[in-house]
């Protein structure tokens, strides 16, 4: 067992509950123990950063400060949400690079009696699943053959951008290879790092319908049985906007959108209901019928 | 179509604006922009913008405050970082967009495309200030009350689906350290007031 300081983020308590449940159902079997950071706050996401830069970095600063206490200096903090991952890793990098910014954040954190060295390493949960679990540990646990299922590996934006050491920013391969290792067929998916429209589903729904439709259409054109994601907002947008996206593109979309731990769970032989696969908007029944 | 000459004629370079924008971490890299347009080519929403990301960098460097802050471009940025990742000069264009949103919001620029984004950002900040965390349900309710409840009707199916699958966080959780979060935010507000 490897223990990680875990930052679930706000979505995993609400729209992302199936993500949380499927993580809980798979991580222990792979030797991953997630120790939730106590009393964490919101990372600020894209919306807070649009509002006030110093405030956004400072509330991230509180998280980093708590993480340093929990994981120790030089330790790691793991986030399952790509937005949390991008915001927290950006905060660490920028505060280390920019002394003026760091001074302003120090001053704000001092008001709450906190301080951060900015020396934790922020990692995405996908990175932990893909890179920290030895291949033989994973393959020895596989109990169900997913060979009939064609899956689109959708990375989205913020797990690979801004540039980081997980994978290439525009042509990543690790998620594809991971699905292959799980026994599924990763499909050719050229839009794998295109944007899911983020918060535009509320602020610019017409634009969002086009952007989401592009992702769905590419999956459909390449005969995907489902799209696999690693971010709760990507899942929400792709799952809930298929009708609007279909109207824009003049197509019918019924593509189930799965979190990657749900696919891991299927391969490990976990029952679909224990992975909350019945809790999405678009039914995954046709996909499940191929393997169960 | 953008006519650069009109911009030159109408806008007076504003050095205060230029310096504030370039002060973001790594902002000085904008001086190295070669206007290649890779950012605009990478952008998934460039067709919805009145000025492309490349033009925005040019206008910022020229100090064209009003032209930049009145454009819908900054509100059409979804923060996907495609421009930033592909820029041959490593200019952090996404971060410039964030900074421009902050200035436009602070100074009350009224772009028609901006209102909804502005309301969402403000409501988000309010929720975090109060609870320490975001509550998606509360955020959306507040957002739709502020922008027009009728636009919420088309989200009814989605809301029902979330409700029956137990994915609506109707009652947001308040963290123990929400007082700490408020103290942090208050300190920043006081600092900003003193600077003014």
């Amino acid at each position: 067992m490897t223990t990680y300081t875990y930052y679930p983020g706000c979505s995993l308590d609400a729209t992302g509950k199936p993500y949380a449940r499927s993580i809980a159902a798979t991580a222990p079997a792979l030797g991953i123990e997630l120790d939730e950071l106590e009393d964490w706050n919101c990372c600020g996401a894209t919306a807070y950063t649009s509002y006030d830069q110093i405030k956004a970095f400072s509330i991230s600063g509180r998280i980093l400060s708590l993480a340093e206490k929990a994981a120790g200096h030089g330790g790691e903090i793991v986030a399952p949400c790509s937005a949390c991952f991008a915001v927290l890793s950006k905060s660490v990098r920028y505060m280390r690079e920019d002394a003026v910014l760091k001074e302003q954040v120090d001053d704000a954190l001092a008001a709450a009696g906190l301080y951060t060295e900015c020396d934790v390493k922020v990692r995405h949960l996908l990175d932990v699943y893909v890179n920290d679990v030895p291949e033989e540990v994973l393959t020895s646990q596989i109990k169900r053959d997913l060979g009939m299922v064609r899956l689109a590996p959708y990375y989205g934006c913020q797990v690979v951008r801004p540039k980081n050491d997980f994978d290439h920013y525009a042509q990543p391969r690790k998620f594809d290879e991971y699905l292959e290792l799980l026994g599924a067929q990763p499909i050719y998916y050229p839009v794998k790092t295109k944007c899911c429209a983020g918060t535009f589903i509320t602020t610019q729904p017409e634009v969002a319908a086009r952007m989401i439709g592009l992702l769905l259409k590419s999956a459909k054109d390449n005969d995907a049985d489902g799209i696999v994601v690693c971010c709760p907002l990507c899942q929400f947008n792709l799952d809930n906007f298929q009708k609007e996206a279909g109207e824009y593109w003049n197509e019918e979309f019924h593509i189930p959108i799965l979190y990657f731990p749900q696919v891991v769970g299927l391969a490990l032989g976990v029952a679909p209901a224990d992975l909350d696969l019945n809790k999405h908007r678009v039914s995954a029944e046709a996909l499940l019928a191929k393997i169960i | 179509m953008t006519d650069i000459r009109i911009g030159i004629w109408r806008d007076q370079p504003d050095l205060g604006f230029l310096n504030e924008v370039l002060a973001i971490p790594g902002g000085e890299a904008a001086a190295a922009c070669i206007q290649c347009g890779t950012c605009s080519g990478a952008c998934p929403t460039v067709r919805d913008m009145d000025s492309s990301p490349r033009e925005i960098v040019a206008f910022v460097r020229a100090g064209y405050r009003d032209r930049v802050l009145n454009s819908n471009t900054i509100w059409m940025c979804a923060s996907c970082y495609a421009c930033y990742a592909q820029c041959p000069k490593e200019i952090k264009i996404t971060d410039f967009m964030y900074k421009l949103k902050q200035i436009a919001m602070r100074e009350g620029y009224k772009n028609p495309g901006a209102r909804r984004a502005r309301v969402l950002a403000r409501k988000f900040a309010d929720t975090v200030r109060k609870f320490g965390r975001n509550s998606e349900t509360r955020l959306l309710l507040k957002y739709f009350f502020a922008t027009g409840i009728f636009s919420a009707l088309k989200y009814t199916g989605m809301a029902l689906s979330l409700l029956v699958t137990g994915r609506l966080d109707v009652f947001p959780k308040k963290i123990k350290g929400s007082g700490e979060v408020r103290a942090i935010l208050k300190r920043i507000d006081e600092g900003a007031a003193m600077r003014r």
Side-chain angles (χ1 to χ4, degrees), chain B residues 74-189:
Chain B
I74 54 183
W75 306 105
M76 290 309 310
C77 169
S79 313
C80 80
Y81 294 93
C83 50
Y84 172 170
Q86 303 204 14
C87 175
K89 294 291 183 183
E90 302 191 352
I91 299 168
K92 297 172 174 173
I93 301 157
T94 315
D95 292 335
F96 280 115
M97 295 296 177
Y98 275 135
K99 187 71 203 171
L100 295 168
K101 286 178 201 180
Q102 293 156 14
I103 298 175
M105 239 186 283
R106 183 186 73 208
E107 303 196 354
Y109 274 83
K110 298 225 177 338
N111 182 292
R115 186 166 170 262
R116 290 181 290 182
R118 205 162 50 223
V119 171
L120 187 74
R122 285 228 169 104
K123 296 295 171 197
F124 189 94
D126 290 347
T127 310
V128 173
R129 180 182 280 270
K130 198 164 262 172
F131 295 96
R133 284 188 194 165
N134 178 34
S135 145
E136 290 162 335
T137 309
R138 187 187 143 89
L139 175 67
L140 290 179
L141 284 175
K142 294 231 154 209
Y143 172 82
F144 284 119
F145 272 112
T147 54
I149 195 70
F150 288 107
S151 61
L153 289 176
K154 64 170 177 262
Y155 295 88
T156 318
M158 181 199 298
L160 279 176
S161 152
L162 292 174
L163 185 67
V164 296
T165 55
R167 288 187 290 154
L168 275 192
D169 50 341
V170 185
F171 302 104
K173 277 184 207 135
K174 193 171 191 165
I175 64 166
K176 281 183 282 178
S178 60
E180 288 181 8
V181 172
R182 273 195 299 281
I184 292 168
L185 297 175
K186 189 164 160 242
R187 182 62 161 265
I188 299 168
D189 285 334

Side-chain angles (χ1 to χ4, degrees), chain A residues 77-259:
Chain A
I77 175 169
V78 176
C81 165
S82 298
C84 300
F85 165 71
V87 166
L88 293 176
S89 34
K90 199 170 113 175
S91 299
V92 169
R93 206 168 56 246
Y94 284 21
M95 285 196 263
R96 291 177 76 95
E97 284 170 9
D98 191 318
V100 181
L101 173 71
K102 179 71 172 47
E103 210 170 287
Q104 287 171 303
V105 172
D106 282 350
D107 180 56
L109 287 180
L114 299 169
Y115 177 76
T116 173
E117 288 277 356
C118 294
D119 60 357
V120 285
K121 186 168 166 52
V122 185
R123 297 184 66 198
H124 194 290
L125 185 68
L126 179 62
D127 178 9
V128 170
Y129 269 60
V130 169
N131 289 317
D132 289 14
V133 181
E135 199 176 312
E136 59 280 6
V137 172
L138 177 65
T139 46
S140 70
Q141 303 263 1
I142 290 181
K143 298 189 179 70
R144 199 182 266 139
D145 182 11
L146 305 183
M148 296 300 288
V149 183
R150 295 173 56 82
L151 297 173
Y154 177 56
Y155 298 71
C157 315
Q158 301 196 341
V159 67
V160 288
R161 292 193 297 269
K163 286 178 196 171
N164 59 50
D165 33 346
F166 172 58
D167 209 338
H168 189 268
Y169 63 88
Q171 298 292 340
R173 283 286 311 156
K174 285 190 181 152
F175 200 178
D176 303 53
E177 288 159 7
Y178 189 60
L179 292 177
E180 212 162 3
L181 194 61
L182 289 169
Q185 303 176 47
I187 62 156
Y188 170 70
Y189 196 48
V191 295
K192 58 170 112 166
T193 61
K194 289 284 176 199
C195 178
C196 78
T199 57
F200 283 11
I201 54 148
T202 45
T203 58
Q204 309 278 357
E206 303 78 18
V207 178
R210 184 187 79 227
M211 295 166 79
I212 292 165
L214 182 74
L215 304 173
L216 296 169
K217 188 166 161 42
S218 177
K220 188 180 170 185
D221 290 350
N222 289 295
D223 298 320
D225 295 310
I227 300 176
V228 194
V229 301
C230 61
C231 170
L233 189 55
C234 296
Q235 201 284 336
F236 186 83
N237 287 2
L238 288 172
D239 192 21
N240 283 290
F241 254 58
Q242 301 208 357
K243 187 165 148 275
E244 291 79 356
E247 280 160 12
Y248 181 91
W249 287 92
N250 226 351
E251 292 247 6
E252 288 246 342
F253 296 124
H254 297 285
I255 306 173
I257 314 297
L258 282 65
Y259 291 109

